[in-house]
Amino acid sequence: MQISSNRPYLLRALYQWLVDNNLTPYLLVDADRDDVVIPGQFVEDGRIVLNIGPNAVQGLDLGNRTISFNARFGGVAMDVLVPPAAVLGIYARENGRGMLFPDEAAGETGGMPPETDPEPTPPRDRPTLKVIK
């Protein structure tokens, strides 16, 4: 049975949680994907950070197949289209709280480990996170 990705659902839930707590939601996006429509001049190291707060965008739609909105970049209005699979994370500008996502192209299966994995990798002593500003 093919299961759909849980990423769009988690994005919507985390977006709502951030907004409910008066935080500014930022998306970290893999800008190198062909299906991403973003302002290329703001891409750094193949990634772009997008402010999707209610005061920063118009017409935000966190859909299952596409995240879309209109925003201003350098004073110019632009329509942005991002498939949820291209979202690497969603977090609060103010404190960095949020979630990073695995690369779906590497075989994400909706949150469940693949059945063919004979032994899970043992956890490291300390988790590592990278702060992205």
Side-chain angles (χ1 to χ4, degrees):
M1 175 173 103
Q2 180 66 24
I3 188 165
S4 64
S5 172
N6 61 7
R7 189 173 305 202
Y9 302 92
L10 292 170
L11 287 169
R12 284 191 292 272
L14 287 164
Y15 172 84
Q16 192 62 56
W17 175 70
L18 292 167
V19 170
D20 285 353
N21 285 283
N22 296 315
L23 299 170
T24 307
Y26 276 13
L27 286 183
L28 175 62
V29 176
D30 177 358
D32 289 336
R33 292 179 50 119
D34 292 335
D35 48 358
V36 173
V37 178
I38 49 146
Q41 66 269 33
F42 298 102
V43 173
E44 291 183 22
D45 297 324
R47 296 178 175 184
I48 188 169
V49 175
L50 301 169
N51 176 351
I52 59 167
N55 296 328
V57 300
Q58 293 182 2
L60 178 63
D61 180 23
L62 297 170
N64 286 349
R65 295 191 173 189
T66 304
I67 297 166
S68 62
F69 58 89
N70 183 280
R72 292 194 167 277
F73 297 90
V76 177
M78 180 177 180
D79 290 326
V80 175
L81 300 171
V82 176
V87 176
L88 302 172
I90 182 171
Y91 63 94
R93 178 192 70 195
E94 294 82 358
N95 61 17
R97 297 213 37 207
M99 180 181 285
L100 296 176
F101 297 103
D103 182 8
E104 281 194 346
E108 180 183 348
T109 58
M112 297 297 293
E115 291 182 27
T116 58
D117 191 7
E119 267 186 57
T121 306
R124 295 185 294 231
D125 290 336
R126 294 186 61 169
T128 58
L129 293 176
K130 180 178 178 184
V131 176
I132 300 171
K133 294 184 179 187

